[in-house]
Amino acid sequence: MAHIFAFWESRAFYDSFMARSHDRLAASQSGTFKDAQVKLFDHRFDVKTGFEPRFTDADLLRVAHCRVHEERAEHFTLMQEKVWNPAMAGSPGMVRGLFGEAPGHEFLVLSMWLSAAEHGKYRTERVERLALRAQTEADVASLTGDIVDLESTWTV
Protein backbone atom coordinates (compact mmCIF):
# COMPACT_ATOMS: atom_id res chain seq x y z
CA MET A 1 0.00 0.00 0.00
CA ALA A 2 1.20 3.50 -0.77
CA HIS A 3 -0.03 6.78 0.68
CA ILE A 4 0.40 9.83 -1.51
CA PHE A 5 -0.18 13.28 -0.07
CA ALA A 6 -0.40 16.38 -2.24
CA PHE A 7 -0.49 19.90 -0.85
CA TRP A 8 -1.95 22.70 -2.95
CA GLU A 9 -1.12 26.38 -2.58
CA SER A 10 -4.76 27.27 -3.13
CA ARG A 11 -8.08 25.81 -4.23
CA ALA A 12 -7.74 27.73 -7.50
CA PHE A 13 -4.48 25.89 -8.35
CA TYR A 14 -6.08 22.55 -7.50
CA ASP A 15 -9.14 23.32 -9.65
CA SER A 16 -6.91 24.41 -12.53
CA PHE A 17 -4.89 21.17 -12.36
CA MET A 18 -8.07 19.08 -12.28
CA ALA A 19 -9.51 20.94 -15.27
CA ARG A 20 -6.36 21.00 -17.41
CA SER A 21 -3.97 18.18 -16.51
CA HIS A 22 -5.54 15.49 -14.38
CA ASP A 23 -7.13 13.31 -17.07
CA ARG A 24 -3.96 13.23 -19.19
CA LEU A 25 -1.81 12.30 -16.18
CA ALA A 26 -4.31 9.67 -14.97
CA ALA A 27 -4.43 8.07 -18.43
CA SER A 28 -0.64 7.75 -18.48
CA GLN A 29 -0.76 5.87 -15.13
CA SER A 30 -3.51 3.48 -16.14
CA GLY A 31 -2.87 -0.04 -14.87
CA THR A 32 -0.14 0.97 -12.41
CA PHE A 33 -2.41 0.88 -9.34
CA LYS A 34 -5.78 -0.38 -8.17
CA ASP A 35 -8.32 0.72 -5.60
CA ALA A 36 -7.21 4.35 -5.39
CA GLN A 37 -9.07 6.44 -2.84
CA VAL A 38 -8.87 10.21 -3.08
CA LYS A 39 -10.06 12.78 -0.53
CA LEU A 40 -9.66 16.53 -0.52
CA PHE A 41 -9.29 18.11 2.92
CA ASP A 42 -9.21 21.80 3.73
CA HIS A 43 -6.52 22.90 6.16
CA ARG A 44 -8.09 23.95 9.48
CA PHE A 45 -5.04 24.45 11.68
CA ASP A 46 -1.46 23.39 12.27
CA VAL A 47 -0.22 20.93 14.85
CA LYS A 48 2.80 22.28 16.77
CA THR A 49 4.27 24.78 14.28
CA GLY A 50 3.42 26.26 10.92
CA PHE A 51 2.92 23.30 8.63
CA GLU A 52 5.20 22.96 5.64
CA PRO A 53 4.91 20.11 3.12
CA ARG A 54 8.58 19.27 3.66
CA PHE A 55 9.50 15.71 4.55
CA THR A 56 13.30 15.73 4.74
CA ASP A 57 13.41 16.21 8.52
CA ALA A 58 11.04 13.36 9.45
CA ASP A 59 11.20 9.60 9.08
CA LEU A 60 7.64 8.70 9.99
CA LEU A 61 4.19 10.08 9.32
CA ARG A 62 1.05 9.17 11.28
CA VAL A 63 -2.22 9.70 9.47
CA ALA A 64 -5.65 9.36 11.05
CA HIS A 65 -8.86 9.63 9.03
CA CYS A 66 -11.83 10.25 11.31
CA ARG A 67 -15.52 10.19 10.50
CA VAL A 68 -17.24 12.10 13.28
CA HIS A 69 -20.86 12.10 14.44
CA GLU A 70 -22.48 15.23 12.99
CA GLU A 71 -23.63 16.55 16.37
CA ARG A 72 -20.10 16.03 17.80
CA ALA A 73 -18.06 17.66 15.00
CA GLU A 74 -17.62 20.98 16.80
CA HIS A 75 -16.57 19.21 20.01
CA PHE A 76 -14.16 16.96 18.11
CA THR A 77 -12.50 19.97 16.47
CA LEU A 78 -12.22 21.79 19.79
CA MET A 79 -10.64 18.74 21.46
CA GLN A 80 -8.12 18.43 18.62
CA GLU A 81 -7.13 22.03 19.23
CA LYS A 82 -7.22 22.07 23.05
CA VAL A 83 -6.22 18.48 24.03
CA TRP A 84 -4.54 16.53 21.23
CA ASN A 85 -2.61 19.35 19.57
CA PRO A 86 -0.82 20.52 22.75
CA ALA A 87 -0.02 16.91 23.72
CA MET A 88 1.56 16.15 20.35
CA ALA A 89 3.32 19.52 20.27
CA GLY A 90 4.86 18.77 23.66
CA SER A 91 6.29 15.47 22.50
CA PRO A 92 10.00 15.98 21.68
CA GLY A 93 9.99 13.68 18.63
CA MET A 94 7.04 15.35 16.93
CA VAL A 95 8.13 17.62 14.07
CA ARG A 96 4.86 19.19 12.83
CA GLY A 97 1.44 18.30 11.51
CA LEU A 98 -1.93 19.51 10.36
CA PHE A 99 -5.62 19.08 11.00
CA GLY A 100 -7.89 19.08 7.95
CA GLU A 101 -11.60 18.81 7.28
CA ALA A 102 -13.64 17.42 4.39
CA PRO A 103 -17.39 17.65 3.79
CA GLY A 104 -19.50 15.12 5.65
CA HIS A 105 -17.82 15.52 9.05
CA GLU A 106 -14.57 13.86 7.98
CA PHE A 107 -11.25 14.93 9.41
CA LEU A 108 -7.60 14.17 8.78
CA VAL A 109 -4.89 14.41 11.41
CA LEU A 110 -1.44 14.17 9.93
CA SER A 111 1.61 14.24 12.19
CA MET A 112 5.28 13.98 11.27
CA TRP A 113 7.80 12.34 13.62
CA LEU A 114 11.57 12.07 13.83
CA SER A 115 11.33 8.29 14.15
CA ALA A 116 9.08 5.35 15.00
CA ALA A 117 10.73 5.20 18.43
CA GLU A 118 9.79 8.82 19.18
CA HIS A 119 6.22 8.28 18.02
CA GLY A 120 6.06 5.14 20.16
CA LYS A 121 7.01 7.08 23.29
CA TYR A 122 4.15 9.52 22.74
CA ARG A 123 1.67 6.79 21.92
CA THR A 124 2.46 4.52 24.82
CA GLU A 125 2.46 7.23 27.45
CA ARG A 126 -0.48 9.36 26.51
CA VAL A 127 -3.06 8.16 24.00
CA GLU A 128 -5.46 6.36 26.34
CA ARG A 129 -5.48 9.19 28.88
CA LEU A 130 -5.93 11.82 26.17
CA ALA A 131 -8.76 9.89 24.50
CA LEU A 132 -10.68 9.81 27.78
CA ARG A 133 -10.11 13.50 28.41
CA ALA A 134 -11.15 14.45 24.86
CA GLN A 135 -14.17 12.08 24.85
CA THR A 136 -12.93 10.73 21.52
CA GLU A 137 -15.10 7.62 21.66
CA ALA A 138 -18.27 9.75 21.82
CA ASP A 139 -17.12 11.93 18.91
CA VAL A 140 -15.78 9.41 16.41
CA ALA A 141 -18.04 7.18 14.31
CA SER A 142 -15.06 5.51 12.60
CA LEU A 143 -11.32 5.86 12.60
CA THR A 144 -8.80 4.51 10.14
CA GLY A 145 -5.16 5.31 10.15
CA ASP A 146 -1.70 4.23 9.34
CA ILE A 147 1.91 4.69 10.23
CA VAL A 148 3.84 5.63 7.10
CA ASP A 149 7.58 5.17 6.81
CA LEU A 150 8.63 8.03 4.57
CA GLU A 151 10.43 7.08 1.36
CA SER A 152 12.73 9.98 0.49
CA THR A 153 13.00 8.96 -3.18
CA TRP A 154 9.25 9.51 -3.54
CA THR A 155 9.37 13.08 -2.27
CA VAL A 156 9.06 15.79 -4.89
Side-chain angles (χ1 to χ4, degrees):
M1 174 186 302
H3 296 277
I4 299 172
F5 300 94
F7 300 91
W8 296 90
E9 186 176 316
S10 69
R11 181 63 189 246
F13 282 125
Y14 169 80
D15 289 341
S16 175
F17 169 78
M18 293 304 287
R20 296 181 180 163
S21 303
H22 177 267
D23 291 346
R24 180 175 26 85
L25 180 60
S28 71
Q29 296 175 341
S30 179
T32 62
F33 61 89
K34 64 180 182 176
D35 299 329
Q37 297 178 15
V38 177
K39 276 282 184 193
L40 184 63
F41 290 87
D42 290 323
H43 177 268
R44 289 286 304 269
F45 54 81
D46 295 331
V47 177
K48 192 169 187 172
T49 63
F51 183 79
E52 299 174 37
R54 181 172 42 89
F55 297 89
T56 55
D57 56 349
D59 285 336
L60 182 126
L61 186 134
R62 168 70 171 129
V63 60
H65 177 215
C66 307
R67 294 179 198 277
V68 174
H69 299 292
E70 180 178 355
E71 70 279 5
R72 302 285 296 187
E74 189 174 321
H75 180 265
F76 178 77
T77 301
L78 181 65
M79 291 300 99
Q80 288 297 312
E81 192 171 11
K82 301 297 184 191
V83 175
W84 291 102
N85 195 349
M88 281 192 285
S91 196
M94 200 275 196
V95 178
R96 66 183 155 279
L98 66 85
F99 179 76
E101 182 176 9
H105 314 292
E106 290 187 52
F107 299 89
L108 182 77
V109 182
L110 185 137
S111 56
M112 298 169 69
W113 298 83
L114 291 174
S115 67
E118 291 295 332
H119 178 260
K121 289 178 193 174
Y122 162 78
R123 192 173 146 214
T124 301
E125 296 170 2
R126 301 182 180 168
V127 171
E128 189 174 302
R129 179 179 50 83
L130 293 169
L132 288 170
R133 183 172 164 214
Q135 302 173 352
T136 303
E137 194 171 301
D139 292 346
V140 176
S142 69
L143 170 68
T144 56
D146 212 350
I147 302 289
V148 180
D149 290 318
L150 295 174
E151 176 55 56
S152 61
T153 60
W154 283 41
T155 301
V156 287

